[in-house]
Amino acid sequence: MVEQAEGTAGNQGAGRAGVIGLGSMGFGMAQSLLRAGLHVAGCDVGAAAVERFVAAGGRGAASPAEAAKGADMVVSVVVNAAQTEAILFGPSGVAETLPEGAVFISSATMDPDIARSLAARLEATGRHYLDAPISGGAQRAAEGALTILASGSPTAFAKAKPALDAMAAKLYALGDAPGQGAAFKMINQLLAGVHIAAASEAMAFAARQGLDLKEVYEVITASAGNSWMFENRMPHVLDGDYTPKSAVDIFVKDLGIIQDMARSAKFPVPVSAAALQMFLATSAAGMGRDDDASVARLYARITGTKLPGDEG
């Protein structure tokens, strides 16, 4: 049964937390923990990100092991399963120093089977694992207003509560075993990727028809064809600004995971497969690290269509 709980960003009392990964999402999540009154150590592969966090009031850590030392909870905000495994069990990993009974909160998007495997390995050492993918974007992360799709033991939820309350506006408790949260997140990513690809196709096609794109945006966002992704991403096209909020290669990864899961289950997913090909083509055209609305630019380039910000 799915339960929904409303989180708050209020002060939750003293506690020690580590945050691994201080990118656009992780930095905002770490700030939310600070606002809630936790003592937070932040770790990132980029020294500048750690320095920025220290300037915001946090404590810098040189490694995942250092961030986890003495912590009640560690929040992992890295890109994928391989990075999660490395920060858990690699050299200077979290598992070296995280106290027994503490909880590791994994926010990376990954195959549910891998989430279950990582959880089993960590829990065998006497620590807890909460499978807790996130949704909402960098702004909501900074506001402590994420949606968190979590699954794990009741003890893992209880240990993670101060962090979850600080980071989430909506917390969905999706089961008592890791892997369920990851599975829910992949359904979300299937829809998100398809919606971005469809929105990009529609906007580029509208440009090819010679339509006023600002007017297209106004009409569609007030009509049945709207989607959250159309409304959120297409302003990037209107502005001709593809500074990454979420990069093309994120959906190359996530839609690829969906294809792997579907192949294993012998379940057809042709619409998401088509969307994956558009993200792959956009990445191959040199836009993998640009905003995922760049799929519209790919359509424009291969059809000779002009979008806002194009020269000439």
Side-chain angles (χ1 to χ4, degrees), residues 125-142:
T125 70
R127 289 91 165 190
H128 303 283
Y129 186 107
L130 191 71
D131 178 22
I134 53 179
S135 183
Q139 181 175 340
R140 291 185 185 177

Side-chain angles (χ1 to χ4, degrees), residues 77 83 106 109 128 151 195-196 216 224 234 236 243 257 262 279:
V77 201
Q83 290 184 4
S106 176
T109 300
H128 303 283
S151 64
H195 289 170
I196 292 169
V216 169
M234 291 306 100
H236 305 172
T243 303
I257 293 172
F279 284 104

Side-chain angles (χ1 to χ4, degrees), residues 245-261:
K245 303 294 193 297
S246 177
V248 167
D249 281 344
I250 294 293
F251 279 98
V252 171
K253 171 182 71 74
D254 291 355
L255 291 175
I257 293 172
I258 289 162
Q259 298 306 305
D260 292 341
M261 292 169 63

Side-chain angles (χ1 to χ4, degrees), residues 56-76:
R59 179 171 64 85
S63 68
E66 184 179 337
K69 188 174 182 179
D72 303 301
M73 64 212 78
V74 169
V75 184
S76 172

